[in-house]
Amino acid sequence: MQSNHLLASLSDDVRERVLPQLEYVSLPLGKVLYESGDTLRYVYFPTDAIISLLYVMEDGSSAEISVVGNEGVVGVALFMGGESTTSRAIVQSAGGAFRLPGQWIKDEFNRHGEMMNLLLRYTQSLITQMAQTAVCNRHHSIDQQLCRWLLLSLDRLPGNQLTMTQELIANMLGVRREGVTQAAGKLQRLGIINYNRGHITVLDRPYLEKLCCECYAVVKKEAERLLPYLHRVNT
């Protein structure tokens, strides 16, 4: 439970109720946790995996609306009462997660106690990320969007390496692959990243943050305000 910051922040009493219900699952790259319109059966608390929430158009094109990693939970529609959502949840970076049955998380949420308060605050931070992503995709360059995406991903991984092809990044950002190729090439020439056959190593994070638009900082600041455990982890 310690490897997911949201679970780790729970009090001992709540953890004792949660622990027997948790099931650890491996999440390979590209696994779809749910499709648009599916009735959700589980919520997932990632440990070292990153999950992308995508909006998929009728023609099959898609764009990422948010990412979830070890700071949060996938499947907020379950405890918010919607049971399903219009987005697709897909594993962006392979790893693992703890999952909880949907009925259990709803029952715990309806206690109107600590778990409800924490999940609502997390949901607000997720909405902030979604809104800022929409603004970023509309007003900022592909270069800046790539910087934001890399930083959000890094915050949810233990090291400075990501495994992701340019084609997948393009699908996440909803842009042409050529645009991602050019943007990644610029970062590599500046010595900020090293990119080789789907493996990205961030060599200079401060420079990456300097080149990024304000969207990353807005999302990070709001998440740390709403979720005190993130502030403790990052300081």
Side-chain angles (χ1 to χ4, degrees), residues 110-140:
N110 290 333
R111 286 174 177 264
H112 303 288
E114 177 187 340
M115 180 70 90
M116 183 191 74
N117 182 59
L118 190 61
L119 291 176
L120 285 177
R121 292 170 75 89
Y122 173 73
T123 301
Q124 183 177 338
S125 75
L126 191 65
I127 292 171
T128 298
Q129 186 188 155
M130 290 177 176
Q132 202 67 37
T133 297
V135 171
C136 189
N137 291 346
R138 174 64 179 85
H139 292 286
H140 294 142

Side-chain angles (χ1 to χ4, degrees), residues 33-176:
L33 301 185
Y34 57 78
E35 286 285 4
S36 172
D38 285 354
T39 298
L40 277 60
R41 298 176 53 219
Y42 298 96
V43 292
Y44 294 82
F45 297 86
T47 55
D48 55 349
I50 299 178
I51 315 301
S52 286
L53 305 185
L54 304 174
Y55 190 86
V56 183
M57 306 295 287
E58 289 183 357
D59 62 3
S61 60
S62 63
E64 186 178 77
I65 55 176
S66 62
V67 293
V68 181
N70 59 7
E71 87 294 352
V73 60
V74 177
V76 298
L78 255 173
F79 53 80
M80 296 297 288
E83 304 291 338
S84 65
T85 180
T86 56
S87 61
R88 170 193 290 166
I90 186 170
V91 179
Q92 168 192 304
S93 181
F98 291 108
R99 73 178 185 183
L100 278 172
Q103 188 58 53
W104 191 94
I105 196 71
K106 286 190 287 185
D107 290 344
E108 183 65 29
F109 188 86
N110 290 333
R111 286 174 177 264
H112 303 288
E114 177 187 340
M115 180 70 90
M116 183 191 74
N117 182 59
L118 190 61
L119 291 176
L120 285 177
R121 292 170 75 89
Y122 173 73
T123 301
Q124 183 177 338
S125 75
L126 191 65
I127 292 171
T128 298
Q129 186 188 155
M130 290 177 176
Q132 202 67 37
T133 297
V135 171
C136 189
N137 291 346
R138 174 64 179 85
H139 292 286
H140 294 142
S141 68
I142 295 177
D143 294 20
Q144 292 172 313
Q145 292 177 49
L146 178 59
C147 291
R148 170 183 56 82
W149 185 87
L150 287 172
L151 288 167
L152 287 174
S153 298
L154 278 181
D155 285 348
R156 291 156 177 80
L157 292 171
N160 66 336
Q161 296 185 348
L162 302 89
T163 300
M164 179 64 65
T165 65
Q166 292 185 3
E167 183 175 0
L168 285 174
I169 296 173
N171 289 338
M172 298 295 176
L173 297 179
V175 299
R176 294 174 61 84

Side-chain angles (χ1 to χ4, degrees), residues 190-192 204-212:
L190 290 170
I192 297 173
D204 191 340
R205 177 169 178 144
Y207 200 176
L208 185 65
E209 292 185 5
K210 183 178 179 180
L211 293 181
C212 189

